[in-house]
Structures are given as structure tokens and as C-alpha cells.
Amino acid sequence: MAARDVWGSRTAFVLASIGSAIGLGNLWRFPYVCYKYGGGAFLIAYAICLLVAGIPLLMLEFSLGKKMSNASPGAFRGVHKNLEWFGWFAVGTGFIICTYYSGIMSYCINYFCYSFGLSWGNTPGEFFFDEVLGITNNPQKPWELGAFKWPLFAGVLVAWIWIVASIWKGTKTVGKVVWFTVLGPWLLLIVFVVRGVTLEGASQGLSYYLTPDWSMLWTINPGAGQIGAHELWLAAISQVFFSLTVGFGVMIAYGSFMDDRTCIVKNAWIIGIADAMTAVVGGFAVFGALGHKAFLEGVDVAQVVESGPGLTFVTYPEIINGLPLPELFGVLFFTMLSLLAIDSAFSLVEAMSAAIKDKFGFTHARANLTVAGVGLVMGLPYLLGSGIHWLDIVDHFMNFFGLPLVVLGTCLIVGWYYRASRMRHFINERSEGKIGIWWDIRIQLIIPAFIIFMLAFEIHERLKAPYGDFGLRSQEVVFGWAMLLLVLLGAVALSVLKGSKEFQQRQPASSEEDA
Ligand code: PFF
């Protein structure tokens, strides 16, 4: 068997991990989730979750991959031979996310084309929902699927071809592509922020963004139609996981390609901070634009648009309309968004295909094509008129339940079964800056307790009012849970399939070896 792929340089590793982290999560998901969950209060919760959970978990995933020298399923199998399914569950959750992620990439690619003639005109909202999506969100008829949007399909096709091409030669191409996809977008982001915050009325939006309503952080029962604290914290922590690509097995796979001298602690900090900065800085552009819109319409920022996955496709065109040379900025902006998205999407495909290669001994090309083919087909329902509605549901279930469950399991498995202190020693051996016992405490106690608490509250509230704030109909709730169950069953099925000889012979890491 060939030697394991290794990053061409340590910078390539850092850039690829930053590339995976920074994506649509920062400029598409962060603003609408932040807007929906209270602006300033969400921002505080987000920062706390990043420091307490996000960055320590990044260290955990890198070290687990490096230690076991395997992608997620093999890495968990390395901890205990019956835990392989859990590794598949993690990549499976990410894979479901990737199927709709490519749909959002398709919006970006289509918007790149629309930018040439500023097709969205003066009413970007109507353009997006009526023309681009042909939306059929009719509460009376939840199963009205609507028309299949061929331009969106063309976009998805381009996205998948682009993803596969980017990782065709494994870490070699990834290491090069990311220079371009990580650094370019930052320059453009600065232009957008400057424009967003100088729009007339922007200050109203910025104050919504930056002034926390502290009570939201602890008020569990704020009254009908309001956001409870448990929901806000769950939204914040799952946004941190989504944004850092933690809990998908991606950083485990990337860690497994690390060379022996890469400093795990320092890099986790660099990646975590760079990712959060991109989201927070990008937020200035979006909230500036929201303030502007509120100003024009004479309403409150909290009411100015319906928050949801469509938010950014309405606010960014509005900023673009207000720029000199709007066509040029439109083209540049959607190029930037696509570039940011591509290295996140391919990191997930890498994680999945590295897992398949490790287990079944597939060639690189066969593994990638299989993953891309299945991903493309599974993403087709999101291109229907009702697609964005289903996307919202799948996004909600995968991020509010799937992802926290994966992280909870990871903490319990590594923290208690493998033992956090043992992993910490491994991390410290590979790091200049050392981490102390606080890391063990977070992995073993704080993060699991936090997740269990939030999930218990959330499930309790859902059971009490199944059609509550989220506005879901019963069929949709069933659909969300069924989807999670399917990922779980798929994970178990993949783990019982017989793998290549080398994979089957892997023995769990012995406890003496590095205790
Ligand atoms: N971290 C990516 C982002 O913020 O856009 C999202 C992401 C990429 C999630 C890849 C999952 C994934 F597998």
C-alpha cells in the first residue's frame, strides 16, 4: 500500500484547514443565524463557545487523526474496534450537509452570472425567491414540490465538477488551490465591509449586531414567539462546529495527513481565530446593509427581512447595487463566495473519500467519483421550488441535533474511554505551546454537560410544542428525525461491511504505548 498522503508543507496544511473552516458558514450561515437569534446576544454566545469548545475540539480532531493515522472511521476504530460506526456517523452528517452546501454553491455560481447584468434589479428579494427559486412555501400544502430549476442544476453540476477537480491529486492540488481560495476572498471582503458600514442608516444595523440584550443569554422561557436561551446557545455552539468544520471527521482526516512537526496547538488557534474573524468581520457588511434597508423602509432592524437561508442573497445584492461599478463588484463578490465555498466542500468530500479509501482500498479517483456522484443525486431535491424550505429543515436537524451528538460522542469516547490526558500528552509532544489540564476538563466535562443540557431542553420544548417557533409541520419534524436515523443506520451498515485486509487488521492503540 502507498504511503499516506502528506501535506506539501505546513503552510499548506494550515491553509487547507482554514480553507475548510472558512466558507459559506461564515458569510451565508453566520449572518442569518446571528440575525435570527438576536444579533449581539448571539455574538457573545458564539465567542464563548468558540473559546470553550471550538478550539479545544479542533486540537482533539487533529490529534486523533494524526495519532491513528486514519480518516474518521478508522480513527475511531483505532480507539475501539466497535466504534468504527461512530466515525462513519460523523462523516455521514457532514456528507448530508455537503449535499445542500453544493446547492448554496449553485446559488453563488448563478449569482455570478446574474451579476454581469445585475439581473436582480431593485428588488433582490423578489428576484431571489420568485425567479431564482420559484419558491412554493405554501403552509397549506407542504408537499407541493414546485418546479425543478434547471439553472440551479447547472450550477450544482459545475460545483461538483469543480470539487472533484480540486482534489484530483489529493493533498498536492489541495495545497495549491487553497492559496488562491483563502487569501483572495479576504481582500474583497474588506471592500464589502467598508461599503456596508458606510451605507445610510447602517448604524442601526450595527447596533443590533453589536449591542447584546444580555437577558437573552439566560432567559429560558421568554414568552411566545421569542427565542429561549437554550435555543440561542444551541444555535451558537452548532454554528461554531459548522463553521470550524468540527464534528464532521474532516479535521480528523486533515490531521492524519499532518507531518510530525506540525504544531497542533498553535495551528488550532490560528484556524479558530481566522475563521471567527471572517464571520464577525463579514457580519459588519450584512448588518450594515440590514440597517440601511430598515432605514429606507422605516422599520425596526429585527423586522426588516425574514431571516433564513435566503438572507444573504438579498442583502449582498443590495450592497452591490449601492457600489460604483456594481457589475464588477457583483462578479468579484460571487467569485469570492464560490472560492470560499469550494475548499470547504472539497474538505468534506476528502474526508468521506479518505474514509472509503482507508476502509475499502478504493483508488483515489474511484472514491472521489463515488462520493461526488452520490452527493450530486442526493442534492437534487433542493433544486425544486420547495427546495430551500427542505434545506432549512435538513440544516436545522443536522446542525441542532446531528452535529452536537457527534461532538458529544467524540468527547465521551476520547475524553473518557481513550482518556483526555493521554491525548493531551500526545498533543503536547507535537506542540511548542503546551496545553494543561483545563483541556481535559473541557473535553470530559464542560462540553458534554453543556451539550446534554442544551439538547435536553431543546427536545423537551419540541415535545411540548412540536409545531413551535421553528414553524415546522409534523411531517417535517418526522422527516428531520428520519434523516438523522438514516445517517445512523447507514453508518452502522458501512461499519459492518468487510474492509480491505489492511483495515481489518488494524488493532486499537494500546494504552501503555503513550500513557
Ligand atoms: N466550515 C464550512 C463553512 O463554514 O462553510 C462548512 C462545512 C464544510 C461544513 C464542510 C461541513 C463540511 F463538511
Side-chain angles (χ1 to χ4, degrees):
M1 163 147 178
R4 194 165 189 78
D5 233 1
V6 183
W7 298 109
S9 68
R10 251 159 284 157
T11 320
F13 159 72
V14 178
L15 280 177
S17 308
I18 293 182
S20 167
I22 303 178
L24 295 171
N26 304 65
L27 298 185
W28 159 72
R29 198 171 189 278
F30 176 84
Y32 87 75
V33 175
C34 181
Y35 180 60
K36 181 168 170 182
Y37 292 95
F42 178 88
L43 206 54
I44 302 279
Y46 178 81
I48 294 176
C49 291
L50 175 78
L51 297 176
V52 175
I55 294 177
L57 283 164
L58 256 186
M59 295 174 193
L60 185 156
E61 292 212 353
F62 286 148
S63 51
L64 185 62
K66 177 68 192 160
K67 169 81 199 148
M68 303 299 168
S69 205
N70 234 259
S72 175
F76 282 101
R77 189 184 161 92
V79 176
H80 187 282
K81 67 178 179 4
N82 290 338
L83 286 174
E84 184 191 329
W85 67 272
F86 185 79
W88 286 110
F89 183 52
V91 270
T93 307
F95 183 67
I96 299 289
I97 289 180
C98 206
T99 60
Y100 71 74
Y101 203 81
S102 56
I104 311 290
M105 285 179 71
S106 167
Y107 299 168
C108 299
I109 293 166
N110 274 277
Y111 266 71
F112 166 82
C113 302
Y114 298 140
S115 301
F116 286 93
L118 297 182
S119 314
W120 51 75
N122 292 323
T123 50
E126 282 166 32
F127 176 77
F128 179 68
F129 290 109
D130 300 343
E131 291 181 46
V132 177
L133 302 181
I135 198 160
T136 59
N137 191 7
N138 181 348
Q140 309 309 322
K141 297 182 186 162
W143 301 107
E144 195 176 271
L145 295 179
F148 187 78
K149 288 292 189 175
W150 288 100
L152 292 181
F153 175 68
V156 167
L157 208 56
V158 171
W160 278 109
I161 292 173
W162 191 8
I163 292 171
V164 172
S166 307
I167 51 175
W168 196 245
K169 294 215 172 123
T171 50
K172 309 278 173 310
T173 19
V174 173
K176 294 200 180 78
V177 172
V178 289
W179 275 103
F180 189 60
T181 55
V182 172
L183 299 182
W186 251 94
L187 298 177
L188 264 171
L189 190 59
I190 293 169
V191 175
F192 271 75
V193 170
V194 171
R195 182 58 205 161
V197 301
T198 50
L199 285 166
E200 203 174 5
S203 57
Q204 228 193 105
L206 295 180
S207 106
Y208 180 80
Y209 183 40
L210 300 174
T211 323
D213 170 355
W214 295 97
S215 67
M216 284 185 78
L217 293 170
W218 55 77
T219 313
I220 303 261
N221 280 319
Q226 308 273 14
I227 309 269
H230 61 287
E231 226 186 323
L232 184 151
W233 283 96
L234 194 52
I237 202 161
S238 53
Q239 174 60 24
V240 165
F241 296 158
F242 184 94
S243 194
L244 286 179
T245 327
V246 155
F248 301 91
V250 169
M251 296 308 189
I252 298 180
Y254 274 17
S256 77
F257 306 139
M258 241 166 28
D259 71 14
D260 286 337
R261 286 172 307 150
T262 303
C263 174
I264 294 178
V265 173
K266 185 175 80 192
N267 286 319
W269 276 100
I270 295 176
I271 295 158
I273 300 291
D275 181 60
M277 289 270 293
T278 311
V280 173
V281 170
F284 279 84
V286 174
F287 282 88
L290 288 173
H292 177 64
K293 200 165 153 58
F295 168 80
L296 292 181
E297 295 171 11
V299 292
D300 204 50
V301 178
Q303 266 98 49
V304 69
V305 277
E306 205 188 311
S307 176
L311 176 78
T312 43
F313 291 92
V314 179
T315 48
Y316 290 125
E318 279 181 1
I319 303 183
I320 292 167
N321 280 349
L323 286 168
L325 299 178
E327 290 87 352
L328 175 68
F329 277 105
V331 170
L332 288 176
F333 179 76
F334 287 105
T335 308
M336 165 186 100
L337 218 49
S338 311
L339 289 177
L340 282 180
I342 186 80
D343 39 12
S344 299
F346 72 56
S347 71
L348 198 265
V349 177
E350 268 280 300
M352 188 57 137
S353 71
I356 292 179
K357 279 193 304 181
D358 283 345
K359 167 130 194 183
F360 300 108
F362 274 28
T363 61
H364 189 70
R366 186 166 166 218
N368 283 331
L369 290 175
T370 310
V371 175
V374 176
L376 174 69
V377 172
M378 284 181 60
L380 295 180
Y382 304 118
L383 312 179
L384 292 162
S386 52
I388 200 166
H389 175 60
W390 292 107
L391 187 156
D392 203 10
I393 296 171
V394 174
D395 178 270
H396 188 85
F397 273 85
M398 288 297 143
N399 289 295
F400 271 56
F401 301 109
L403 209 44
L405 283 175
V406 171
V407 173
L408 176 63
T410 308
C411 288
L412 297 180
I413 292 169
V414 177
W416 291 97
Y417 183 75
Y418 184 84
R419 277 187 295 112
S421 56
R422 190 172 159 205
M423 194 55 99
R424 173 161 54 89
H425 287 134
F426 180 79
I427 295 174
N428 282 341
E429 272 168 21
R430 278 166 180 72
S431 304
E432 290 142 33
K434 311 287 180 213
I435 47 172
I437 190 145
W438 59 265
W439 188 82
D440 305 10
I441 298 173
R442 285 180 207 194
I443 299 296
Q444 290 185 312
L445 296 173
I446 301 180
I447 304 174
F450 185 83
I451 293 179
I452 291 173
F453 196 64
M454 295 303 122
L455 276 182
F457 258 109
E458 181 64 9
I459 291 173
H460 174 74
E461 294 291 300
R462 286 260 169 276
L463 293 178
K464 236 175 42 189
Y467 320 107
D469 303 344
F470 192 56
L472 284 185
R473 295 168 285 244
S474 54
Q475 306 94 320
E476 296 159 339
V477 176
V478 172
F479 173 81
W481 286 114
M483 191 92 174
L484 263 175
L485 195 66
L486 270 179
V487 178
L488 192 62
L489 291 178
V492 173
L494 278 166
S495 70
V496 292
L497 283 179
K498 200 160 173 336
S500 67
K501 214 159 129 211
E502 196 183 54
F503 189 87
Q504 296 302 126
Q505 284 166 353
R506 286 180 61 79
Q507 292 299 326
S510 77
S511 54
E512 292 85 44
E513 136 205 358
D514 55 357

